[in-house]
Amino acid sequence: MLTVASTASLRVYVSEWENGRRPISARYAKILRALLGITDDELMGRADTAAAPATADGYDELMGRIDAARTVSLTMVKTFMDQTELFRTMDRQMGAATLVDQMSAHLTTLEDALTFAVLPETRRPVARALVGAATLAAWQALDVGAVERAWRHYELGKRAAQEADEPMYLAHATAEQAYVLCDAGRAPMAVELIRDAQRLGGKAMSPRLTAWLYAAEAEICARAGMADECRRVLENAMRSLPPGEEARDPDMLSIFLNEGHLTRWRGNALALIGDDEAVSSLYAALNTADPTFIRASAGLRCDLAQAHMARGEYDQAHDHLRKARLLASRTGSVRQRRRVEQLTQRL
C-alpha cells in the first residue's frame, strides 16, 4: 500500500523527470499515475480548473421540435400538398428516376412534422398530406424497380391514412400495394388484397375511386388468369364511373379516371386475358390519350403489342413495342422496360 510519504516521494520523482533533472520513461510515469489513481494535474499538484461538463438530457431539443411542429398551419399543409402535386406532374411527364432524392427529402419533412405534432387538429391534416406523398413515392419506387422501398412506403401511407381517419386514402394505398404483390408473381394474393381495400373504403368512397378500384381489380384478376372475374369487374367499373370528361377526383387528387382512361384500362385487362375486343378498346384509348402521361403511353403501347400478338399480328406488335421502348427510356421506367423485354421475347 502506498503511504502519504511514498506518494509525496513519487510526486517529487515525477516532478524531477518533468523538469528534465531525472530520467524516467513515459511508460513508467503512466504506471505511477495508475498506481496512485489520480490525474496528471493531481500528481503534479496542479489545481483542477476544468469546468464541469454541462448536463444534457435532450428535453430542450425535443420541446423545440414539438413547438416547431405546433406551428404547422393549414397554409403549410397546403404547401406540402402543392409540392406533392408538382412531383406528381413531373413524374407523369419525366418519370420517377429523376425525383428519388427530392421525394425522399419531402417524405422526411412530412414524417418529422407528423412525428412531433401532438394534438389531433394538427396531426390529421399533416397525416393526410403524408398519405398522398407516400403513395406517390411508393409508385415511383415500384416503377424504378425498388420493390422493398415501394412496400415500405405503402405501409407508411396506410398508417398515415389511419392517423388521418381517411378510409378513401387507406383503400387507395392498400389497392396500389397489391401491385407490388402482383409484380412479384403473387397475383392471387394481390386479388385478395385489392378486395380487402374495397372493404376498407366501405361507403366512404367516391364514385370515381370506386370505379378505379374495380378497374385495378380487373387488371389484377387478368394477371391471375381469372378471365370471367376480370370481365365481371370491368362491368362494375363502367357502371361506377361518373359521366363527363373530368378525370380528377376532387376528393382524392391522386386519382385520374374518366371514360378515356377506363377504356385504356379495359383494353389492358382484356389484352392480358387474350380477348379479341382488346384491340378496339386500346386504339380508342390511343386516339384520346393525354400526351403528358408519358409512362401511361408506354404501357398503352405494350398493351397494343400484347393484343396484336394474341391475334398473330406480329408486325404491328413489333412496331408498338419499339415505340414503348422509346417511351420507357424517356421516363427511366424499369417496370415498363421489363414488360417490353418480356413481350419481345415472345415475338
Side-chain angles (χ1 to χ4, degrees), residues 131 223 278:
V131 184
R223 292 173 68 174

Side-chain angles (χ1 to χ4, degrees), residues 181-316:
L181 292 173
C182 206
D183 286 4
R186 301 293 180 88
M189 187 184 295
V191 171
E192 292 181 35
L193 184 59
I194 201 162
R195 288 175 176 171
D196 188 55
Q198 293 166 346
R199 180 189 62 78
L200 290 169
K203 296 180 179 180
M205 294 192 300
S206 67
R208 201 175 305 275
L209 176 60
T210 299
W212 186 95
L213 287 168
Y214 278 133
E217 182 188 353
E219 179 186 351
I220 293 175
C221 282
R223 292 173 68 174
M226 302 163 60
D228 291 339
E229 286 292 288
C230 169
R231 293 186 181 93
R232 180 185 64 79
V233 179
L234 280 173
E235 292 302 316
N236 290 340
M238 297 296 290
R239 283 195 297 268
S240 303
L241 183 68
E245 294 298 314
E246 180 59 46
R248 205 74 183 271
D249 192 328
D251 298 316
M252 193 164 197
L253 297 181
S254 53
I255 296 296
F256 292 82
L257 191 68
N258 58 18
E259 187 177 347
H261 292 124
L262 187 53
T263 299
R264 180 195 67 79
W265 216 339
R266 180 175 183 274
N268 163 257
L270 293 177
L272 289 170
I273 60 176
D275 192 303
D276 197 54
E277 287 186 40
V279 171
S280 58
S281 290
L282 290 169
Y283 276 111
L286 185 64
N287 292 332
T288 59
D290 186 334
T292 66
F293 284 69
I294 304 299
R295 186 170 53 217
S297 297
L300 177 55
R301 294 290 181 178
C302 285
D303 295 338
L304 279 162
Q306 187 155 5
H308 280 298
M309 287 169 64
R311 294 164 51 145
E313 298 165 349
Y314 297 109
D315 288 343
Q316 293 96 320

Side-chain angles (χ1 to χ4, degrees), residues 87-104 136-146 149 294-295 327-335:
F87 291 140
R88 186 177 287 117
T89 302
M90 293 172 67
D91 169 65
R92 193 167 68 233
Q93 298 183 18
M94 301 166 55
T98 60
L99 297 173
V100 174
D101 290 341
Q102 292 114 303
M103 280 304 304
S104 179
L136 174 60
W139 190 257
Q140 290 174 339
L142 185 61
D143 189 54
V144 300
R149 188 167 78 235
I294 304 299
R295 186 170 53 217
L327 290 168
S329 296
R330 277 179 61 185
T331 60
S333 174
V334 173
R335 189 168 182 260

Side-chain angles (χ1 to χ4, degrees), residues 39-88:
T39 65
D40 288 348
D41 287 337
E42 290 171 331
L43 183 63
M44 302 310 301
R46 294 192 292 266
D48 183 6
T49 57
T55 303
D57 55 18
Y59 281 105
D60 289 343
E61 182 179 354
L62 175 61
M63 290 302 105
R65 301 192 76 166
I66 288 174
D67 288 342
R70 205 170 73 186
T71 63
V72 175
S73 63
L74 290 177
T75 303
M76 193 65 192
V77 170
K78 184 181 182 304
T79 301
F80 288 146
M81 297 183 77
D82 287 345
Q83 279 186 289
T84 301
E85 180 64 15
L86 174 62
F87 291 140
R88 186 177 287 117

